[in-house]
Amino acid sequence: MAVVTMKSLLESGVHFGHQVKRWDPRMKKYIFAERNGIHIIDLQKTIGAIKDSYEAVRKIVAGGKSVLFVGTKKQAQQAVQKEAERCGMFYVNNRWLGGMLTNFSTIKKSLQRLKKIEKMEVDGTFENLTKKEVAGLLKEKEKLTKNLGGIKEMKELPGALFIIDTHKEQIAVAEAHRMGIPIVAVVDTNCNPEGIDYPIPGNDDAIRAISLFTSIIANAVVEANNEEGLKIIESLTDDEEVVTDASTKKDDEEIDDYSNYTPAEEKKDAAADDGDDEDLAEKFNK
């Protein structure tokens, strides 16, 4: 099955770039033409870039690493959260805090603080505090959740970053470079593709285009996880029996296969069962 089709790219408006006057000359090799003052992106190169990015993400996740989805612009927030949660990965969709990668030890302290407040909320600690103290803690929790909720369970640096709009997320790009973390990113005609390990030329402003790119990367994560699950099942020894719904169903069919019964045979078996019940009752009565 194809990772993406030309039709889906066209329908999502992936080929629309920015105004000519806002372009970055380093994107020239990805631009197909100019129409009405707007650059048109070469979708043939976009498809090739998507396939390379898909394979790279699949290998990273198969190797046991995580992917951090990053998109803080309004058009990307919902898609980034939805797709990251669908594939079980981490995300940042409100604000990129400086040092989120380069100073991760400090970020971990904030995550521990968030978990502590959440624990206090359910273990009855709030009942022993004043209303003012509770209000302060809830306000702190809301702020931490807004900025760090998507990486609450992230215990180590991710294996890769998937970024929507590198022009807006320049700090995230710089931190990933410094930490040696590969970057998969959607780059529009106003972005700099240099320094991006897997640039995907495309529209990073349209909601449909963003949703399409994000779902493709999420699919790569899901595929890698499915492959890992299959490997675990295949590695089980012959002594270990894996019981599935399919195997149970097959056993049931072998024990009670009534699919080819005729009404006469069903009647005969029913009469025989009734006879057995009568014999048993007579035995007990004696």
Side-chain angles (χ1 to χ4, degrees):
M1 184 178 176
V3 175
V4 67
T5 63
M6 183 68 76
K7 182 182 177 182
S8 61
L9 292 177
L10 288 168
E11 289 177 347
S12 301
V14 171
H15 55 297
F16 291 118
H18 281 278
Q19 293 178 337
V20 173
K21 62 182 180 181
R22 293 183 57 195
W23 81 313
D24 189 314
R26 289 166 288 195
M27 282 292 294
K28 184 177 180 180
K29 61 182 177 180
Y30 298 116
I31 294 173
F32 176 72
E34 175 194 333
R35 294 286 186 275
N36 300 323
I38 294 175
H39 275 136
I40 303 298
I41 296 168
D42 189 344
L43 292 185
Q44 291 291 352
K45 293 184 177 178
T46 301
I47 287 179
I50 287 174
K51 289 178 180 178
D52 292 341
S53 301
Y54 186 96
E55 190 62 24
V57 169
R58 192 185 63 78
K59 287 181 179 178
I60 289 169
V61 176
K65 295 287 187 177
S66 61
V67 177
L68 178 60
F69 288 64
V70 181
T72 60
K73 63 200 302 182
K74 287 185 178 180
Q75 302 98 306
Q77 288 178 344
Q78 189 173 351
V80 164
Q81 180 176 350
K82 177 185 173 184
E83 295 299 333
E85 289 177 348
R86 177 171 72 87
C87 65
M89 288 294 152
F90 311 112
Y91 65 91
V92 175
N93 70 337
N94 181 61
R95 180 187 167 203
W96 182 271
L97 301 178
M100 198 169 277
L101 297 179
T102 54
N103 195 16
F104 188 60
S105 57
T106 301
I107 296 296
K108 284 173 77 174
K109 291 178 183 178
S110 297
L111 295 176
Q112 290 170 359
R113 175 63 177 169
L114 173 59
K115 291 177 182 178
K116 183 179 179 181
I117 296 174
E118 288 179 341
K119 185 179 178 183
M120 291 169 65
E121 193 174 6
V122 297
D123 66 4
T125 304
F126 276 16
E127 296 174 5
N128 300 322
L129 300 175
T130 63
K131 288 184 178 180
K132 185 177 181 180
E133 289 173 327
V134 170
L137 288 171
L138 289 176
K139 188 176 181 180
E140 183 183 357
K141 176 196 166 188
E142 183 182 355
K143 185 178 179 181
L144 288 170
T145 302
K146 193 174 183 181
N147 292 321
L148 303 173
I151 61 169
K152 189 167 66 173
E153 301 302 328
M154 192 168 79
K155 296 178 174 58
E156 59 182 10
L157 290 175
L161 257 66
F162 170 64
I163 299 176
I164 300 291
D165 194 347
T166 57
H167 187 70
K168 180 175 175 58
E169 311 297 346
Q170 292 179 20
I171 299 175
V173 172
E175 289 192 27
H177 283 161
R178 187 170 178 182
M179 302 306 294
I181 300 172
I183 301 172
V184 178
V186 178
V187 289
D188 210 329
T189 56
N190 67 329
C191 297
N192 176 15
E194 294 178 359
I196 306 301
D197 300 271
Y198 302 96
I200 304 174
N203 186 347
D204 64 10
D205 296 299
I207 294 176
R208 291 182 67 182
I210 292 171
S211 298
L212 178 62
F213 286 129
T214 314
S215 66
I216 290 169
I217 299 301
N219 288 341
V221 175
V222 171
E223 183 181 330
N225 288 333
N226 289 342
E227 288 177 0
E228 194 64 27
L230 288 173
K231 286 179 183 177
I232 293 172
I233 293 174
E234 289 170 0
S235 67
L236 292 173
T237 61
D238 295 336
D239 296 334
E240 296 177 345
E241 183 181 357
V242 180
V243 180
T244 63
D245 292 340
S247 62
T248 307
K249 185 176 180 182
K250 186 176 180 182
D251 292 340
D252 291 343
E253 289 173 352
E254 290 175 355
I255 296 170
D256 299 316
D257 186 7
Y258 297 120
S259 59
N260 297 321
Y261 265 31
T262 63
E265 289 173 331
E266 290 177 356
K267 193 77 173 177
K268 184 178 179 182
D269 280 353
D273 289 341
D274 290 342
D276 291 341
D277 291 341
E278 289 173 2
D279 292 342
L280 192 61
E282 188 176 335
K283 189 181 291 185
F284 273 107
N285 290 332
K286 288 179 181 180

